[in-house]
Amino acid sequence: MACAEKISVSDLNHINGYWEIVKVEFPNGEIKDYDINTTIDYFEYENMKGFRKKVQPALDGSYATSSDAESFRINERDDVFWMSYQNDLSSWEEQIEVISESILVVKNKEDISYHYKRFEPISIEK
């Protein structure tokens, strides 16, 4: 990731939409791959704040969701963007390492990296 391009404020707009986790990298080098996901993450972002929620895609292209959502703010510190979450139970941050139209990588304070790809819905029509 050291050779990744610097992220700009305008790049942050790519976060909007549906993201599917591909793998998780742990600090010890272990990797957990996700071949099949029953839930995906939906992000809605504007003006350095937004929310994230889990949704379940259906074969008809719709999504099942609950009213639960995690609000976040994006802060820039030392040329790095951080997604800061806070709820009644805890608070945490994730560093945005890579963001593009098709790839999102965030890393938490425990040095665990979460790799996402843009979700491509599968629609089965009769």
Side-chain angles (χ1 to χ4, degrees):
M1 294 295 155
C3 61
E5 290 185 30
K6 184 179 181 302
I7 296 170
S8 70
V9 171
S10 64
D11 292 331
L12 298 174
N13 290 315
H14 292 305
I15 200 167
N16 282 313
Y18 298 92
W19 293 93
E20 180 177 15
I21 191 143
V22 176
K23 69 179 177 179
V24 176
E25 286 186 67
F26 296 92
N28 64 3
E30 182 183 340
I31 294 176
K32 179 175 182 178
D33 290 314
Y34 289 83
D35 297 324
I36 297 173
N37 296 301
T38 58
T39 61
I40 57 174
D41 288 351
Y42 172 73
F43 288 87
E44 195 167 300
Y45 161 82
E46 186 175 16
N47 297 325
M48 304 302 277
K49 61 185 176 182
F51 69 87
R52 171 190 203 165
K53 66 180 355 185
K54 297 285 186 189
V55 298
Q56 292 179 313
L59 294 176
D60 66 0
S62 66
Y63 298 92
T65 184
S66 71
S67 59
D68 295 337
E70 296 289 345
S71 296
F72 64 83
R73 290 194 160 286
I74 295 184
N75 304 299
E76 185 177 8
R77 293 191 309 270
D78 300 322
D79 292 329
V80 174
F81 289 99
W82 293 86
M83 298 175 71
S84 300
Y85 296 87
Q86 185 168 353
N87 62 31
D88 293 339
L89 302 174
S90 66
S91 62
W92 66 98
E93 288 187 312
E94 295 176 327
Q95 176 185 347
I96 302 172
E97 292 195 309
V98 178
I99 190 165
S100 70
E101 289 184 22
S102 59
I103 297 170
L104 173 64
V105 180
V106 297
K107 183 188 288 189
N108 67 17
K109 296 273 186 173
E110 289 77 33
D111 209 27
I112 300 171
S113 294
Y114 299 86
H115 297 251
Y116 296 86
K117 68 177 181 179
R118 180 74 65 186
F119 178 71
E120 298 289 334
I122 299 171
S123 181
I124 299 181
E125 298 180 21
K126 294 181 182 181

